Amino acid sequence: MLDSQRSNRLAGETSPYLLQHAHNPVDWYPWGPEALEEARRSDRPILLSIGYSACHWCHVMAHESFEDEATAEVMNRLFVNIKVDREERPDLDRIYQSVHQMLSRRGGGWPLTVCLNPHDLVPFFTGTYFPKEPRYNMPAFVSVLHQLAAFYAEHRGDLARNGQVLREALEAMGREHSGTVRLDVGLLAHAHQALRTNFDAAHGGFGGAPKFPHTSNLEFLLRSDGEGFDMVRKTLDSMACGGIYDHLGGGFARYSVDERWEIPHFEKMLYDNGPLLELYARMAVYTGEPLYAAVATDTAEWVIREMQSPEGGYYAALDADSEGREGRFYVWDRREIQGLLSADEYLVFSGRYGLDGPPNFEGHWHLRIARSLEAVAADCAKTGDEVAGLLESARACLRQAREQRVRPGRDEKIIAAWNGLMIRGMTVAGRLLEREEFKDSADRAFGFVRRAMDVGGRLMSVYKDGRARFDAYLDDYAFLLDAALELLQTRWCTGDLAWAVSLADRLLERFQDTEYGGFFFTATDHEALIQRPKPWMDESMPSGNGIAIRALLRLAGLTGDLRYAEAAERGLQAASGAMARYPHAHGALMNAAREWFVPPPLVILRGEGEALRPWCAKAREIAPEALVYAIPPDAAGLPPALAARGPAPQGPVAYVCRGRVCAAPVDSLATLTEILAAG
């Protein structure tokens, strides 16, 4: 049983995930010199367990094994046990997930269970969840522990030799460069074809179950031809109607366990919702359809209401579980809903959300749109307006009732990279939907990260309980740089531009692969690990390399500093082979490559704020992909190339460039419209 009075070495940590294990009978260590030295001194293998606070199967394994005295006794006697929050240490998670895929020839996940040789930190075993007793065609966890300890004791020579081979394979992977493939615009067509082949025409999205949003691929298709646009529309429609979307509270769960988007894995992650917020806001403007604006609005309001800290930064995640059950907060009993709604409300709500059909989640109903509004209106002999009104009142009633339930746990870490994704999404939604509170939310979060997480010239990755910790990774720099450039399009602040330049300079100085191109995941002075990854592929988030390269291209255009463009081009060249082999797995890089091949219009507007409003609106209307920066005439401290695009005494002036080709300055809105309309 769990002893709430006893604590282990995790009790002094700030990670909610580590603190969940602080009273386990397992003698857990956080990753660090103390644990590694103890493992070497005692010559015991390291049992490394990696997870995160919103992970359902992490909770299951904790309850079954880590809270069990007998299991803990075996772990403590035979191993040095280290618990890692993968959101605090994505470097460790990335390395050991890669090793798991190499050794097992299949994908990993969480919890990740790894056994390390204490003398070189190279794994000799990897797995994920293990049950306490044999089931799911899996051995009991304690049985695995005894086998691992015996293997370590009996095969020292093999471990050393195999470890060397594995290290060499990891080093080769880290050194891999793909400059043999010529950068060619045909890469974009190749990516489009691969996505078309993998597209699920029936339900939207790519591949089968489990199904993830893959937002970088959707962004790529959104900016391609009509067929690509249709694939995005089908996917966003299906997600908005499916159970991956929270129809009462807004926001999206991490993924769907089925191909129909009906039943999610119920955790809500900040990093999914930022890019999805942007996509739905863009589709709302492109199509004028109310569904997209409603989803974007509800998602942004959920983020502000539940995920923004009083200090300004955005929290990381909501748990999948509450009261010990996955999805307990979100699913419904039909009788409960009947007791809460009026007869008319229930009539339309049950038809709309599938309550008149069989339960779809463990004997309960998880809400998803089962019928169109028109079909419900016809079935109930009501007008469309009557149905819409009844549905809105029913949702409000159920939302209020749901608030009385035990809420899922909230991981209140503030992660720099994830904040970058949400700041960008909230900024775009605020601008496109004309919602000032969304812009203000993004501004508050951005200000918090600048103020609290950039400490003495070193950006920190995680903030919790007043402490900024862990040197930032590639994703932190890249996503914040990208967000800064988006925020500058919404409201100009020269101080924010200076900070963006500082981020870019540190990115080049501390992360760039000066030999082959591209960017490593960790900085030059990071803790020495068994690999220094240089990730190209999109995973649960867009590729840090892809976002960094696009942001550097944009910053080069804005500031005129060609160092950024040169670093971006070298990165694209280095990634070209990987992009050619697996184009559908490199959506963020493909988005960057598109901007390199076909630069979007860069529009610099100088003039007073009110006078520039119609110019901004018209530029974005004519060229939705344009990068539009409205800079006040008295802005000081601008980079020289930007300062040269000065204000005009007679009123607003516009400078329009595409790549390195610029038109003459124009002081007429009609002329600006003609230039942009001409392409």
Side-chain angles (χ1 to χ4, degrees):
M1 293 293 293
L2 192 65
D3 182 353
S4 62
Q5 303 305 311
R6 174 176 51 196
S7 61
N8 54 45
R9 291 171 178 83
L10 302 182
E13 296 296 307
T14 55
S15 158
Y17 176 64
L18 299 188
L19 291 173
Q20 287 170 3
H21 296 270
H23 300 289
N24 291 169
V26 178
D27 186 15
W28 290 115
Y29 288 79
W31 181 279
E34 182 185 4
L36 303 182
E37 177 55 35
E38 173 59 21
R40 289 190 292 266
R41 186 199 63 78
S42 63
D43 195 27
R44 285 181 289 165
I46 293 170
L47 188 73
L48 175 64
S49 177
I50 302 178
Y52 59 103
S53 68
C55 165
H56 170 69
W57 287 103
C58 299
H59 297 324
V60 173
M61 191 168 179
H63 178 67
E64 291 179 344
S65 296
F66 303 148
E67 296 174 9
D68 178 66
E69 295 280 356
T71 304
E73 188 280 327
V74 175
M75 295 174 66
N76 295 338
R77 175 164 44 88
L78 299 178
F79 300 90
V80 169
N81 304 288
I82 298 180
K83 178 62 75 172
V84 164
D85 182 340
R86 67 111 173 173
E87 296 166 359
E88 288 187 337
R89 295 300 303 264
D91 53 336
L92 295 170
D93 183 56
R94 183 178 294 275
I95 290 169
Y96 291 116
Q97 292 282 359
S98 295
V99 173
H100 174 73
Q101 293 177 33
M102 290 172 63
L103 296 180
S104 67
R105 298 288 189 263
R106 61 178 181 272
W110 302 278
L112 183 66
T113 305
V114 188
C115 202
L116 309 180
N117 183 334
H119 302 291
D120 60 11
L121 305 184
V122 175
F124 59 91
F125 173 83
T126 64
T128 51
Y129 162 80
F130 289 98
K132 182 180 177 183
E133 306 295 340
R135 65 177 183 274
Y136 311 130
N137 199 29
M138 302 175 71
F141 185 48
V142 168
S143 173
V144 172
L145 296 176
H146 282 296
Q147 292 178 53
L148 291 174
F151 186 87
Y152 177 74
E154 296 167 7
H155 294 84
R156 299 301 182 86
D158 292 338
L159 286 178
R161 287 189 295 272
N162 293 341
Q164 182 60 31
V165 171
L166 187 55
R167 287 182 74 100
E168 291 172 357
L170 288 170
E171 289 170 4
M173 183 189 304
R175 290 193 307 267
E176 181 183 4
H177 61 101
S178 310
T180 55
V181 176
R182 185 171 68 90
L183 275 175
D184 185 274
V185 73
L187 277 174
L188 304 181
H190 188 33
H192 193 284
Q193 177 57 44
L195 291 171
R196 181 192 299 118
T197 299
N198 201 38
F199 183 68
D200 180 351
H203 307 291
F206 306 98
K211 187 172 280 184
F212 293 80
H214 295 299
T215 51
S216 292
N217 287 339
L218 294 174
E219 181 184 351
F220 176 79
L221 291 171
L222 187 62
R223 298 175 185 274
S224 62
D225 60 16
E227 182 186 25
F229 189 88
D230 290 343
M231 286 191 274
V232 176
R233 173 176 285 198
K234 177 64 178 178
T235 302
L236 295 187
D237 285 352
S238 297
M239 290 179 63
C241 294
I244 193 173
Y245 177 64
D246 182 353
H247 293 275
L248 298 183
F252 289 85
R254 180 165 164 252
Y255 66 87
S256 172
V257 302
D258 59 85
E259 73 279 1
R260 303 179 306 280
W261 305 104
E262 183 171 341
I263 303 299
H265 190 39
F266 286 89
E267 65 205 44
K268 286 183 180 179
M269 313 300 293
L270 189 72
Y271 61 69
D272 292 311
N273 282 279
L276 285 168
L277 172 57
E278 176 178 347
L279 280 169
Y280 277 95
R282 290 196 183 280
M283 283 294 283
V285 171
Y286 291 165
T287 67
E289 293 183 14
L291 170 67
Y292 301 126
V295 170
T297 298
D298 288 350
T299 298
E301 290 178 346
W302 162 71
V303 170
I304 295 171
R305 183 177 66 248
E306 297 189 28
M307 301 300 288
Q308 189 155 28
S309 75
E311 295 175 283
Y314 297 117
Y315 295 135
L318 292 183
D319 207 331
D321 299 7
S322 57
E323 299 181 82
R325 287 173 49 194
E326 182 183 10
R328 172 68 185 88
F329 182 76
Y330 299 100
V331 300
W332 292 88
D333 178 83
R334 186 157 57 189
R335 290 182 180 177
E336 180 184 9
I337 291 180
Q338 285 176 315
L340 290 166
L341 302 182
S342 70
D344 277 350
E345 286 173 333
Y346 181 78
L347 180 66
V348 298
F349 191 88
S350 62
R352 175 70 162 163
Y353 291 103
L355 295 172
D356 54 356
N360 60 355
F361 184 77
E362 298 179 356
H364 294 78
W365 281 262
H366 178 57
L367 302 181
R368 90 284 187 203
I369 293 178
R371 291 186 184 86
S372 69
L373 289 173
E374 293 77 12
V376 172
D379 290 345
C380 300
K382 296 182 181 298
T383 68
D385 287 344
E386 287 174 326
V387 167
L390 288 167
L391 287 174
E392 183 53 41
S393 63
R395 281 194 299 267
C397 176
L398 296 181
R399 187 162 53 243
Q400 183 177 9
R402 196 176 76 171
E403 285 301 307
Q404 308 309 309
R405 296 177 177 177
V406 175
R407 298 187 60 82
R410 182 171 62 191
D411 187 328
E412 296 187 352
K413 293 195 307 293
I414 295 171
I415 300 173
W418 301 13
N419 270 251
L421 292 172
M422 183 52 73
I423 290 166
R424 177 186 168 93
M426 195 70 76
T427 299
V428 172
R431 187 170 68 234
L432 296 182
L433 302 179
E434 299 181 349
R435 296 290 295 264
E436 290 300 318
E437 68 270 35
F438 298 171
K439 301 177 193 176
D440 292 344
S441 171
D443 204 35
R444 288 178 57 219
F446 188 77
F448 171 80
V449 174
R450 277 194 62 183
R451 180 178 67 253
M453 299 183 71
D454 198 356
V455 183
R458 296 186 77 89
L459 183 65
M460 298 288 111
S461 180
V462 177
Y463 179 94
K464 178 75 167 58
D465 297 337
R467 296 169 63 190
R469 304 180 65 196
F470 305 105
D471 279 355
Y473 307 98
L474 168 63
D475 290 358
D476 299 305
Y477 281 92
F479 296 171
L480 284 171
L481 174 59
D482 190 48
L485 294 172
E486 200 63 55
L487 200 57
L488 285 166
Q489 293 190 70
T490 297
R491 54 106 188 96
W492 184 264
C493 173
T494 305
D496 287 348
L497 174 62
W499 193 61
V501 167
S502 169
L503 290 176
D505 289 346
R506 285 180 277 175
L507 182 65
L508 265 57
E509 178 185 354
R510 303 183 64 218
F511 293 85
Q512 186 175 194
D513 183 345
T514 56
E515 184 175 3
Y516 296 122
F519 299 93
F520 293 107
F521 188 71
T522 53
T524 54
D525 56 354
H526 192 76
E527 172 190 359
L529 300 171
I530 63 172
Q531 185 198 28
R532 191 182 180 199
K534 188 169 66 173
W536 301 123
M537 221 177 260
D538 296 333
E539 296 176 349
S540 55
M541 294 187 294
S543 158
N545 265 284
I547 299 299
I549 290 168
R550 181 181 67 181
L552 289 170
L553 287 171
R554 292 183 173 188
L555 186 63
L558 181 61
T559 65
D561 192 332
L562 296 183
R563 291 180 304 135
Y564 306 135
E566 290 163 359
E569 183 175 349
R570 293 181 70 246
L572 284 174
Q573 183 60 61
S576 60
M579 295 163 68
R581 287 193 297 273
Y582 305 107
H584 56 291
H586 296 86
L589 278 164
M590 288 294 176
N591 288 322
R594 183 200 302 282
E595 293 206 4
W596 187 75
F597 289 122
V598 187
L602 171 66
V603 182
I604 305 295
L605 300 173
R606 300 299 304 269
E608 298 293 345
E610 285 303 317
L612 289 183
R613 285 185 186 277
W615 291 59
C616 287
K618 180 58 70 174
R620 291 177 175 132
E621 176 190 340
I622 299 298
E625 77 281 9
L627 309 174
V628 182
Y629 299 92
I631 305 176
D634 58 352
L638 299 175
L642 190 55
R645 298 164 177 166
Q650 70 272 20
V653 61
Y655 302 83
V656 182
C657 300
R658 272 189 181 271
R660 299 180 186 179
V661 179
C662 297
V666 298
D667 57 7
S668 159
L669 181 54
T671 305
L672 173 63
T673 301
E674 290 173 7
I675 292 173
L676 292 175

